Amino acid sequence: MDRALGEEARQVLRAARGWLEELAEEGVTSFEIAAAKPAAKPPSSGAPETAQTGTTLEAVRAELGDCTRCGLAEGRTKLVFGDGNPNADLMFVGEGPGEQEDLSGLPFVGRAGELLTRMIERGIALPRSEVYICNIVKCRPPGNRTPLATEVSTCRHFLDGQIEAVQPKVIVTLGKPASSLLLGRDIAITRVRGTWHEYKGIPVMPTFHPAFILRQYTEQNRRLVWEDLKAAAARAQQ
Ligand code: URA
């Protein structure tokens, strides 16, 4: 092998190793080789992308009702819709309710929620009641597992309705599932956190999920989230 080719191969291997290490940090232990999916079809009716323009949180909640659209309904105690200022500039989207949220009916009130509240109130000096907080799915997945694709797609309409109703200036996605959903692709959170994206014209800042920070409570991770939240808050104030 000539020298230049050998060096290029080593660079590719180093990059691949770095990428695999990032995935391992996020808990990925295996891969499935999937056939490429065709691109999503654009809406065929010519209807606006946000079919719920002019909607309110009350209307979205009323449409959700006593939802039994997916299997998560069977295990839930309370449906967890959302919490906070209906006119918030800053919106946080998590994954799905945990145990405390399922019992109380409010998002982010367990340990991860306490950390999120501290990050908002101390990190960016906003009362929690000033922002709006919700999740991708509104019912607790059993054992806090990641919501399944079918559960996410069933509930997505209601998250879209919440975004449409609140019309935040900035959305902060917490962790891989929420970030992947709004970025429209399977992302590695360590790669995309701290970088700006867009969802339906709204700036999106992905950051680490507070549950991840609790598991890896390092100064570096806390600083990164703080930087992401500061950037999000500054943009929301513009
Ligand atoms: N984790 C989430 O993603 N959402 C909650 O509401 C609580 C914990």
Side-chain angles (χ1 to χ4, degrees), residues 22 25-26 172-176 179-180 183 185 187-197 204-209 212-213 220-232:
E22 278 182 21
E25 266 174 41
E26 287 165 22
V172 176
T173 47
L174 300 165
K176 178 184 169 84
S179 305
S180 295
L183 270 56
R185 64 196 161 87
I187 57 95
I189 192 67
T190 43
R191 274 172 185 260
V192 303
R193 67 133 287 280
T195 61
W196 285 107
H197 300 267
V204 172
M205 170 57 72
T207 194
F208 292 133
H209 193 287
F212 168 78
I213 302 295
Q220 153 95 340
N221 285 341
R222 281 178 283 154
R223 186 178 52 76
L224 292 176
V225 174
W226 185 50
E227 282 171 8
D228 300 345
L229 296 195
K230 271 198 306 185

Side-chain angles (χ1 to χ4, degrees), residues 80 93-98 101 106-110 112-113 133-135 174 209-211:
V80 181
V93 180
E95 186 176 327
E101 292 77 17
L106 288 169
F108 283 99
V109 291
I133 304 177
C134 62
N135 283 302
L174 300 165
H209 193 287

Side-chain angles (χ1 to χ4, degrees), residues 35-214:
K37 284 198 198 131
K41 270 209 282 176
S44 55
S45 63
E49 200 180 350
T50 49
Q52 302 188 33
T53 300
T55 195
T56 61
L57 285 175
E58 289 76 17
V60 180
R61 181 66 190 87
E63 186 189 347
L64 183 57
D66 191 17
C67 185
T68 54
R69 291 171 181 83
C70 83
L72 292 182
E74 282 161 33
R76 77 164 178 246
T77 312
K78 287 190 176 167
L79 192 149
V80 181
F81 182 63
D83 184 34
N85 180 355
N87 301 309
D89 288 339
L90 205 49
M91 179 165 179
F92 290 80
V93 180
E95 186 176 327
E99 186 180 14
Q100 295 306 313
E101 292 77 17
D102 173 66
L103 292 172
S104 67
L106 288 169
F108 283 99
V109 291
R111 275 188 72 223
E114 282 168 11
L115 177 57
L116 177 65
T117 305
R118 282 205 302 278
M119 288 175 347
I120 294 168
E121 301 208 324
R122 293 193 204 158
I124 52 174
L126 275 178
R128 174 180 158 131
S129 57
E130 265 308 298
V131 305
Y132 188 78
I133 304 177
C134 62
N135 283 302
I136 307 173
V137 294
K138 315 302 184 208
C139 301
R140 183 188 183 197
N144 297 344
R145 65 157 166 74
T146 304
L148 305 176
T150 51
E151 295 157 356
V152 171
S153 62
T154 307
C155 223
R156 180 185 196 145
H157 170 71
F158 300 100
L159 173 62
D160 281 338
Q162 288 170 300
I163 294 171
E164 185 56 36
V166 175
Q167 296 189 15
K169 291 192 182 149
V170 170
I171 300 173
V172 176
T173 47
L174 300 165
K176 178 184 169 84
S179 305
S180 295
L181 183 68
L182 296 203
L183 270 56
R185 64 196 161 87
D186 192 30
I187 57 95
I189 192 67
T190 43
R191 274 172 185 260
V192 303
R193 67 133 287 280
T195 61
W196 285 107
H197 300 267
E198 241 186 53
Y199 184 67
K200 298 188 176 189
I202 302 170
V204 172
M205 170 57 72
T207 194
F208 292 133
H209 193 287
F212 168 78
I213 302 295
L214 284 176

